[in-house]
Amino acid sequence: MTLVLYNTLSRSKEPFRPLDPARVRMYVCGPTVYDYAHIGNARPVIVFDVLFRLLRRAYGEDRVVYARNITDVDDKINAAAKESGLTIRAITERTAKAFHEDMAALNTLPPSLEPRATEHVAQMIAMIEALIAKGHAYAAEGHVLFGVPTCPDYGRLSGRDRAEMIAGARVEVAPYKKDPADFVLWKPSDADTPGWASPWGRGRPGWHIECSAMSQVHLGPSFDIHGGGVDLIFPHHENELAQSTAANGPGTFARVWMHNGYLMVEGEKMSKSLGNILTVHDLLTEFPGEALRLTLLATQYRQPLDFTRAGIAQAKRTLDRWYLAAGDAAAGDVPAAVVAALEDDLNTPQAIAEMHKLADAALGGDGLAGRGLKAGAGLLGLLANDAAAWRHWRPAEAASGPTDADIAALIEQRVAARRARDFARADAIRKELLEKGVVLEDGAAGTTWRRA
């Protein structure tokens, strides 16, 4: 089956045909590093990690270039620095490090490239100068703005008409604009704000120009896939598309636009006012990273996702079963049914259904199914742990509970009690461990255990 992806630009599924099969290129909008990533931020990271794995399988690991930027110049970062008393550099370095650690705990592969906005300001200035020279941008009161009326097809990505776009909540009204829809490419910086010398005075880039410049530097004026959350379609991606095609000509920039759906928490929108912002950093103290990952993959990426603790618990039970079924066997070939599901616009729910079938067969004694389960899981970024290490994982708040050595000692006592036919004592030990969150499993090879 050919890989088929839903293209936001055409509003349809399309067979994926890269511009150059020897260098498949994907750009995904990365984090603005001012605070810990929340679980909504993690969804696109995981979605496009699965796509990255799928593309590497199809075209070769060394033939896929995945660029995911870091925005390290932004007004939110400036505000966080002022509030904390830390330097902007300290904020961005600390937060980028936490982001990398949290995403690694979700078993995501590092991108091929991770350009930082502050390292590409010269290229942003050059692109702005090109837009001015071509009549698509103008300077006004220390700002440079993109003239939206110079782009006749502006709005084609989001599908919004002009009135709807101007009425949008994030369209800034300013007296120096020639048109209400025009957006900022460059803005002035005061003495307390990061800034760079430019032909328009000391200032800093607007958000939208950052991704256009970085993608062009690393992937060229045209590339295969641009991804991000659905909340980025307008204005960010609409503006990227407009300024990039204005600078480089019609038909350039990304050929396929992919967007993952919104994420809610326990049926409600995640917001500071509701106090329900769930950071990956905090969730990882309660749950293993793979359980969070499977929870995010259980819903097809374009659909809204309701992230719940009940869903995480179910994902953990599923993974317990898959680890038991696969054991520590070497991975075989990825089953065709799993590949076919993912090639159908990343249909992860169907891929997971196929994995359940493989687990059933493996638990029934089919060793080949167990190897297929391990391989299919690898394509989804799952079952990456040692099976025993997975069974023995415990949350941070359970640090006061029994250690692995404590559990092993009690199991030895239980074995001795059973040999002595003291079944009451053996049952008491099982109950004691269960009350402490440890499940014993007796089998032909002896007793194993896992944390509930």
Side-chain angles (χ1 to χ4, degrees), residues 159-237:
R160 300 187 181 204
D161 61 30
R162 181 173 174 77
E164 185 182 5
M165 287 186 286
I166 293 174
R170 288 193 284 181
V171 173
E172 181 185 1
V173 176
Y176 47 77
K177 288 185 175 185
K178 292 182 179 180
D179 187 277
D182 294 352
F183 57 88
V184 172
L185 301 173
W186 188 263
K187 51 191 171 182
S189 294
D190 59 28
D192 297 326
T193 307
W196 289 261
S198 83
W200 319 286
R202 183 177 179 275
R204 60 199 190 278
W207 176 32
H208 313 303
I209 197 69
E210 294 177 8
C211 288
S212 284
M214 286 186 283
S215 63
Q216 179 171 320
V217 168
H218 296 286
L219 303 181
S222 294
F223 54 93
D224 298 300
I225 298 169
H226 195 317
V230 68
D231 57 309
L232 297 181
I233 296 176
F234 183 84
H236 185 48
H237 288 171

Side-chain angles (χ1 to χ4, degrees), residues 339-423:
V339 175
L342 295 178
E343 287 184 337
D344 181 15
D345 195 32
L346 303 186
N347 189 344
T348 52
Q350 183 58 43
I352 290 167
E354 298 297 336
M355 296 283 287
H356 281 304
K357 295 177 187 176
L358 290 165
D360 289 343
L363 291 169
D366 185 341
L368 191 60
R371 296 182 63 197
L373 176 66
K374 194 73 172 284
L379 196 54
L380 290 166
L382 299 167
L383 301 192
N385 291 279
D386 171 81
W390 172 265
R391 289 196 300 272
H392 298 174
W393 182 90
R394 60 178 174 173
E397 65 266 23
S400 60
T403 65
D404 290 8
D406 294 336
I407 295 167
L410 284 169
I411 289 174
E412 284 298 318
Q413 291 177 33
R414 180 171 175 268
V415 169
R418 293 178 73 184
R419 285 175 181 160
R421 305 187 67 77
D422 186 353
F423 298 116

Side-chain angles (χ1 to χ4, degrees), residues 297-375:
L297 293 177
T299 300
Q300 205 270 348
Y301 79 94
R302 289 192 288 115
Q303 302 305 313
L305 186 154
D306 188 11
F307 189 85
T308 67
R309 277 180 160 75
I312 306 171
Q314 179 57 55
K316 173 66 165 59
R317 289 192 293 271
T318 293
L319 288 165
D320 287 344
R321 190 167 184 273
W322 289 2
Y323 268 105
L324 180 63
D328 287 316
D333 295 329
V334 181
V338 174
V339 175
L342 295 178
E343 287 184 337
D344 181 15
D345 195 32
L346 303 186
N347 189 344
T348 52
Q350 183 58 43
I352 290 167
E354 298 297 336
M355 296 283 287
H356 281 304
K357 295 177 187 176
L358 290 165
D360 289 343
L363 291 169
D366 185 341
L368 191 60
R371 296 182 63 197
L373 176 66
K374 194 73 172 284

